[in-house]
């Protein structure tokens, strides 16, 4: 029950994963639609087709076969309880948990663990027993990707950073999750020594059981892993104001990675131990934690009320009793949070998710157990019109090439670390802050959601079903008071272009407006320079404008130009995409466009079941159709071979079928599948690679 939906951004915030969607019905075993040339496009919007978007969450919860967690009553001699009997079934003790009088047992034969747990709970020497359930992952800095982190302005982070950046008294935040990518560039100097609590080597994907290595080896061998903990940790404390990547909420916080989620999720037994350890408690067989966490983030869980998982509640009680503030995600089932663990447990701060509009996100759980709301986003939407998915942007990794990247994801998993990060800022400002006071301040300063906003796209809700409302980081820090603000904002500026893409014919010219926005008392002047232009393109700067002129013999194609501004010892840049059309005087035509119905296998096209045809039409629009297709899911890819060399080159046109800006899978019986094509900028795109593979 993944508590995250995901969209990747590879090489500078430019792509999205596949979204499994459906379209209006048509005769079975057929697909039909149209292709069109987008002559004004930038050529940069082709989605990455690296993996399917996973479902938001399963409604089922599993358990480790045969395993039961048992708490014995005080005074019971545990040394004599190596074996237990329940209903004629023998159970062997596996290990002691980091909870008083709590042990993990495993049945010697297959059995209904729920029935075994009920039988054990009826014993006079047992306080409670439960199955070992499996749960799953659910400032204006100069970081270049900050412009796409809409979720920070939504909670007034820039104003909060003017008051506190978390550097004065760095706070340790434990991320109990899949581990973290300790070598990710945006986590350098941020990660403390953590621990891998996954006891089953079959689940760990790193070749062994528990060990001191909390690096994330991936949770989907052979596929694209989630790197969920890195995304969560990046929101809390990615390296900020370093001129690279993204920003984190608390600039000074340190991440304590605690790995509990593997290929099959995580067990209650492992998570309970990890909670105690993260807070500084002792766990049998595990070295002491030298950096107890003041804040613990748990973006994980499952659909079962906390009363059914007493081991969870006891572990939370231990962590809170040691002074940790525990923040948890509400869950992504669009249901009442009362039925989910750990969201329904006591002594935790439970966080629901909002989208860009400020409404409760379509997936977010709700109900009286919600304490606060925070941005969780929606990767299926682009309500702010910035050409990126409205997900939360943070850290990730591309398993196809091993590169560390940035990813848009959505979920209450993404909302919770916003709250954990803000609490880290608050505790940096006032180290005496405890959980009760933190929650009280966050509630009092939150912006309540109306009934309509809390309802969103789901069943009707009242404002209280979204807790106190959307957190306001700046208001919370102001209400906290305490020590003097940290250093104020440093002089800086940003550079933007309007338009940021141009389509020109050889022998023509156009102008681009340059806008410099200063902050922190920055004052000009700014000098400009142009780079990346091919021979035959001349750029001149005057009066805040760039004029581009192309020579008559300039070759058709698409070029990425860099406009750089320098001033006050700072350098900022912006990308301008120049598309040069054919110099023949005639506009490109869609005629002869190939359309591939790629039978999707997860990485490439099935060479037997995939089909290719040519669209029929001229000008900028043509139609296509397929019949007698095999049952399955298809990627729709269109290609216009502009130079007729039977290979995909710069200057060709390429496109994939999308919905809501995200590449989409379709099934036979779909129609009206419109495929917009843009001029090829790079033949390294996934769509180009798949088409090349099929044509070989």
């Amino acid at each position: 029950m993944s508590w995250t939906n995901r969209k990747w951004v590879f090489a500078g915030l430019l792509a999205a994963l596949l979204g499994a969607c459906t379209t209006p019905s048509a005769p079975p075993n057929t697909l039909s639609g149209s292709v069109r040339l987008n002559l004004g496009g930038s050529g940069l919007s082709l989605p990455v087709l690296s993996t399917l978007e996973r479902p938001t969450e399963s409604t089922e919860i599993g358990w480790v076969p045969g395993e039961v967690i048992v708490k014995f009553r005080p005074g019971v001699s545990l040394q004599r309880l190596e074996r237990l009997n329940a209903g004629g079934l023998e159970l062997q003790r596996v290990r002691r948990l980091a909870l008083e009088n709590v042990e993990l047992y495993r049945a010697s034969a297959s059995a209904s663990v729920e029935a075994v747990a009920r039988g054990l709970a009826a014993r006079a020497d047992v306080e409670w027993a439960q199955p070992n359930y499996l749960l799953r992952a659910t400032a204006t800095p100069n970081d270049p990707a900050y412009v796409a982190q809409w979720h920070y302005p939504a909670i007034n982070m820039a104003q909060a950073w003017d008051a506190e950046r978390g550097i004065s008294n760095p706070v340790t935040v434990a991320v109990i999750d899949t581990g973290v990518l300790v070598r990710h560039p945006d986590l350098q100097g941020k990660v403390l020594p953590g621990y891998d609590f996954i006891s089953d080597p079959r689940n760990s994907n790193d070749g062994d059981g528990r060990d001191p290595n909390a690096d994330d080896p991936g949770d989907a061998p052979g596929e694209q892993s989630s790197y969920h903990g890195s995304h969560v940790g990046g929101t809390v404390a990615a390296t900020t104001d370093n001129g690279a990547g993204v920003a984190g909420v608390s600039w000074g916080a340190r991440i304590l990675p605690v790995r509990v989620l593997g290929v099959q999720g995580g067990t209650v037994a492992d998570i309970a131990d990890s909670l105690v350890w993260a807070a500084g408690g002792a766990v049998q067989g595990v070295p002491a934690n030298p950096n107890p966490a003041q804040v613990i983030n748990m973006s994980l869980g499952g659909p079962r009320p906390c009363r059914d998982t007493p081991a969870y509640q006891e572990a939370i009680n231990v962590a809170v009793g040691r002074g940790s503030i525990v923040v948890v995600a509400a869950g992504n089932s669009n249901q009442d949070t009362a039925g989910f663990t750990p969201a329904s447990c006591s002594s935790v701060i439970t966080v629901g998710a909002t989208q860009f509009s400020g409404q409760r996100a379509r997936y977010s759980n709700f109900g009286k157990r919600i304490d606060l709301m925070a941005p969780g986003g929606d990767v299926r939407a682009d309500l702010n019109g910035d050409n990126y998915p409205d997900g939360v942007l943070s850290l990730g990794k591309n398993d196809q090439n091993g590169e560390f990247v940035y990813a848009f994801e959505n979920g209450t998993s993404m909302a919770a670390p916003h709250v954990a990060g803000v609490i880290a800022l608050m505790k940096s400002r006032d180290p005496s802050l405890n959980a009760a006071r933190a929650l009280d301040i966050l509630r009092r300063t939150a912006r309540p959601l109306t009934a309509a906003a809390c309802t969103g796209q789901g069943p009707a809700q009242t404002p209280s079903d979204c807790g106190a409302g959307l957190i306001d980081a700046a208001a919370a820090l102001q209400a906290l008071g305490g020590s003097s603000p940290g250093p104020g904002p440093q002089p800086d500026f940003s550079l933007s272009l309007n338009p940021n893409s141009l389509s020109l014919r050889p022998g023509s010219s156009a102008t681009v407006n340059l806008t410099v926005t200063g902050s922190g008392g920055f004052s000009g002047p700014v000098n400009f320079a142009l780079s990346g232009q091919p021979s035959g393109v001349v750029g001149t700067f005057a009066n805040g404008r760039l004029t581009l002129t192309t020579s008559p013999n300039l070759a058709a194609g698409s070029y990425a130009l860099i406009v750089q501004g320098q001033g006050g010892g700072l350098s900022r840049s912006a990308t301008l995409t120049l598309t040069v059309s054919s110099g023949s005087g005639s506009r490109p035509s869609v005629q002869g466009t190939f359309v591939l119905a790629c039978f999707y296998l997860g990485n490439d096209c099935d060479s037997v079941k995939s089909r290719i045809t040519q669209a029929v039409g001229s000008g900028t629009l043509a139609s296509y159709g397929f019949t007698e297709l095999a049952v399955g899911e298809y990627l729709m890819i269109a290609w216009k071979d502009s130079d007729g060399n039977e290979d995909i080159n710069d200057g060709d046109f390429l496109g994939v079928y999308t919905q809501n800006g995200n590449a989409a899978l379709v099934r036979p019986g779909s129609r009206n599948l419109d495929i917009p094509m843009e001029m090829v900028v790079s033949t390294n795109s996934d769509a180009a690679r798949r088409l090349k593979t099929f044509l070989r």
Side-chain angles (χ1 to χ4, degrees), residues 189-402:
K190 306 290 291 186
V191 181
L192 296 168
Y195 207 83
D196 179 356
F197 275 88
I198 301 177
S199 54
D200 185 351
R202 296 168 299 179
N203 187 31
S204 67
N205 194 32
D206 62 1
D208 57 21
R210 292 183 171 182
D211 59 50
N213 182 9
D215 192 17
D216 188 349
D219 54 9
E223 302 178 27
Q224 175 61 55
S225 292
S226 71
Y227 301 109
H228 188 270
S230 298
H231 198 282
V232 169
T235 297
V236 173
T239 305
T240 304
D241 206 38
N242 63 338
V246 296
V249 172
S250 177
W251 298 16
R254 298 292 182 263
I255 297 298
L256 177 70
V258 184
R259 186 167 183 252
V260 297
L261 302 177
V263 176
Q264 299 155 349
T267 70
V268 171
D270 287 344
I271 295 171
D273 279 353
S274 77
L275 258 170
V276 173
W277 183 86
V283 179
Q284 189 175 35
V286 177
N289 173 16
N291 301 290
Q294 293 124 304
V295 183
I296 297 174
N297 187 95
M298 301 179 70
S299 290
L300 49 76
R304 187 170 292 272
C306 193
R307 64 176 179 271
D308 290 350
T309 57
Y312 233 135
Q313 186 63 68
E314 291 214 12
I316 290 168
N317 293 345
V318 171
V320 172
R322 298 187 67 88
S324 295
I325 303 173
V326 182
V327 181
V328 304
N332 297 345
S333 293
N334 193 23
Q335 296 179 25
D336 195 313
T337 306
F340 291 78
T341 296
S344 64
C345 293
S346 61
S347 301
V348 300
I349 298 176
T350 302
V351 184
T354 57
Q355 59 187 28
F356 176 80
S357 66
Q359 293 183 326
R360 180 173 64 88
R362 54 181 168 78
Y363 50 80
S364 177
N365 284 353
F366 51 81
K368 301 302 183 282
R369 186 57 193 87
I370 297 286
D371 291 308
L372 300 160
M373 304 293 285
D378 187 349
V379 294
R380 298 182 184 179
D382 181 17
L383 299 181
N384 59 357
D386 65 355
N387 296 319
Y388 301 132
D390 286 346
V392 170
L393 183 61
S394 190
L395 315 184
K397 180 182 177 183
N398 178 1
D399 280 339
Q400 287 192 335
N401 56 25

Side-chain angles (χ1 to χ4, degrees), residues 504-561:
L504 294 176
R505 292 186 181 184
S508 62
S509 64
T511 60
V512 176
N513 294 315
L514 313 175
T515 300
V516 173
T517 303
S519 62
F522 176 86
S523 59
V526 174
N527 298 314
F528 300 100
L530 183 68
S531 62
Q533 70 271 33
S535 177
V537 174
V538 177
T540 57
F541 296 92
N543 301 321
R545 294 180 179 177
L546 164 64
T547 300
L548 288 180
T549 303
T550 60
S551 65
N553 59 351
L554 181 62
S558 191
Y559 308 94
L561 282 58

Side-chain angles (χ1 to χ4, degrees), residues 27-47:
N29 304 322
T30 67
L31 289 171
S32 61
S34 60
V35 294
R36 57 182 172 86
L37 297 183
N38 183 6
L39 300 179
S42 67
L44 294 175
S45 60
L46 281 174

Side-chain angles (χ1 to χ4, degrees), residues 115-138:
V116 171
R118 286 194 297 270
L120 290 171
R123 290 173 50 130
D125 57 350
V126 171
E127 185 169 324
W128 52 256
Q130 67 160 85
N132 189 14
Y133 293 115
L134 282 166
L135 298 102
R136 303 185 187 276
T138 66

Side-chain angles (χ1 to χ4, degrees), residues 346-504:
S346 61
S347 301
V348 300
I349 298 176
T350 302
V351 184
T354 57
Q355 59 187 28
F356 176 80
S357 66
Q359 293 183 326
R360 180 173 64 88
R362 54 181 168 78
Y363 50 80
S364 177
N365 284 353
F366 51 81
K368 301 302 183 282
R369 186 57 193 87
I370 297 286
D371 291 308
L372 300 160
M373 304 293 285
D378 187 349
V379 294
R380 298 182 184 179
D382 181 17
L383 299 181
N384 59 357
D386 65 355
N387 296 319
Y388 301 132
D390 286 346
V392 170
L393 183 61
S394 190
L395 315 184
K397 180 182 177 183
N398 178 1
D399 280 339
Q400 287 192 335
N401 56 25
E403 292 181 356
F404 295 116
V405 296
Y406 301 90
F408 287 105
E409 300 185 5
N410 65 216
T412 55
S413 284
M414 283 61 258
H418 283 83
V419 175
V422 170
I423 292 175
L425 286 178
M426 296 168 67
K427 197 162 180 65
S428 179
R429 190 174 179 84
D430 182 358
S432 69
L433 183 75
N434 59 25
R437 185 167 172 236
L439 180 56
D440 175 65
I441 291 173
L442 288 169
R443 281 174 168 166
R444 286 192 286 107
T445 56
R447 301 192 294 274
L449 271 64
T450 65
C454 189
T455 295
Q457 304 173 43
Q461 305 298 322
T462 66
S464 62
D465 289 315
C466 288
L470 183 63
I471 61 169
D472 186 324
L477 283 165
Q478 184 178 11
L480 179 66
S483 59
S484 301
Q490 300 299 307
D492 201 356
F493 73 90
S494 62
L495 174 63
S496 60
L497 311 179
N498 184 25
N500 58 12
S501 64
L502 287 175
S503 294
L504 294 176

Side-chain angles (χ1 to χ4, degrees), residues 569-582:
L570 303 171
S571 178
R572 301 290 178 258
S573 61
T575 300
L576 173 66
T577 302
L578 172 63
T579 301
V580 179
S581 58
S582 170

